Structures are given as structure tokens and as C-alpha cells.
């Protein structure tokens, strides 16, 4: 029981660390520099708006299709390696705070959230099973 709690707590902390790293990356990204350059009330041109939308689309693409699935995979690996029982449930519990932090509760975001939970759960199950069998299952 305590081990399961520690595994979930560790997965939540791991998600928090990745969110902090992502925030630091975003704060130092060219997209944020563009936002800060445009934000102070300087007259806004159509070219600036186009650049801003392209930058935000790029950032959204990176977060939805690259960073979030990688974070889900890392959390699944962590839980699968350390959990003795119920790795799928523990992975789902461990990734939920990360998923909720980046969800706007639209249909698309809920679909991405379910996908991230599935990624973490499947990887946790595979790693846990391989670890218990010595890697001879696959």
C-alpha cells in the first residue's frame, strides 16, 4: 500500500518536474520573445499577428504531439518499473494531475488527455510485465 502511494506520488512529482522544465523552456523560447515584443502596446500590425499565430501554433503542436506523449511515456516507464501491482491504475493516477493541468476540457483536449492516460498505462503494463518475467515475454 505504501509502495503504491509512493509510486503515484513519484509519478506526480515527475510530471511536475516536466511541467516546470516545459515552463522554463517556454519562457525562454522565441515564441515568448515575440509575445513580449508585441505585448507592450506598440501598434499591432497584420504581419505581427501572423507571426504570433504561427508561433503559438508551433508551440501548441510541440506540446500536444511531442512533449505530452513523451512525458506520458516517461511516467509510464517510471510506474512500470517501480510498481509491483496495478501498474495501469497507478500510471493513470500518476498522470492525471499533468493531464488536468493542460486540459481545457474541450472535446479535443479530453481526447488528448485520454490518449496520454492510455500511453502511460500501456507502457507501465509492458514495463511491469517485462520486469517481472525478466524480459522474456516479448
Amino acid at each position: 500500500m505504501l509502495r503504491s502511494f509512493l509510486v503515484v506520488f513519484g509519478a506526480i512529482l515527475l510530471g511536475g518536474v516536466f511541467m516546470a522544465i516545459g515552463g522554463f523552456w517556454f519562457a525562454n523560447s522565441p515564441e515568448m520573445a515575440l509575445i513580449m515584443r508585441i505585448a507592450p502596446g506598440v501598434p499591432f500590425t497584420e504581419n505581427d499577428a501572423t507571426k504570433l499565430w504561427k508561433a503559438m501554433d508551433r508551440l501548441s503542436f510541440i506540446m500536444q504531439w511531442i512533449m505530452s506523449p513523451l512525458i506520458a511515456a516517461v511516467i509510464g516507464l517510471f510506474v512500470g518499473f517501480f510498481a509491483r501491482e496495478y501498474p495501469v491504475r497507478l500510471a493513470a493516477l500518476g498522470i492525471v494531475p499533468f493531464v488536468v493541468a493542460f486540459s481545457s476540457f474541450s472535446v479535443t483536449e479530453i481526447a488528448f488527455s485520454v490518449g496520454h492516460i492510455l500511453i502511460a498505462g500501456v507502457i507501465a503494463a509492458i514495463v511491469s510485465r517485462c520486469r517481472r518475467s525478466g524480459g522474456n515475454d516479448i
Side-chain angles (χ1 to χ4, degrees):
M1 179 76 169
L2 179 63
R3 183 180 182 100
S4 296
F5 173 77
L6 290 175
V7 167
V8 171
F9 187 69
I12 291 170
L13 285 178
L14 192 61
V17 166
F18 279 115
M19 282 191 281
I21 291 169
F24 180 75
W25 173 73
F26 175 68
N28 294 313
S29 68
E31 289 83 7
M32 182 55 90
L34 179 65
I35 292 169
M36 296 307 289
R37 184 180 61 80
I38 293 172
V42 178
F44 203 65
T45 65
E46 187 175 335
N47 189 29
D48 289 337
T50 303
K51 286 181 185 177
L52 182 62
W53 280 113
K54 284 183 180 179
M56 294 307 287
D57 282 345
R58 179 179 175 269
L59 192 64
S60 176
F61 175 81
I62 290 171
M63 280 306 295
Q64 284 183 343
W65 293 101
I66 298 171
M67 295 303 292
S68 293
L70 283 175
I71 292 169
V74 169
I75 289 174
L77 285 169
F78 176 82
V79 171
F81 188 75
F82 289 111
R84 286 197 178 142
E85 52 188 24
Y86 310 117
V88 176
R89 294 178 192 169
L90 296 178
L93 283 174
I95 198 166
V96 162
F98 173 79
V99 166
V100 169
F102 287 107
S103 180
S104 63
F105 299 107
S106 66
V107 174
T108 306
E109 290 296 324
I110 290 172
F112 277 109
S113 300
V114 169
H116 297 143
I117 292 170
L118 288 174
I119 289 169
V122 167
I123 290 177
I126 291 170
V127 169
S128 177
R129 185 170 180 163
C130 287
R131 192 178 65 81
R132 280 185 278 142
S133 67
N136 294 326
D137 270 356
I138 295 181

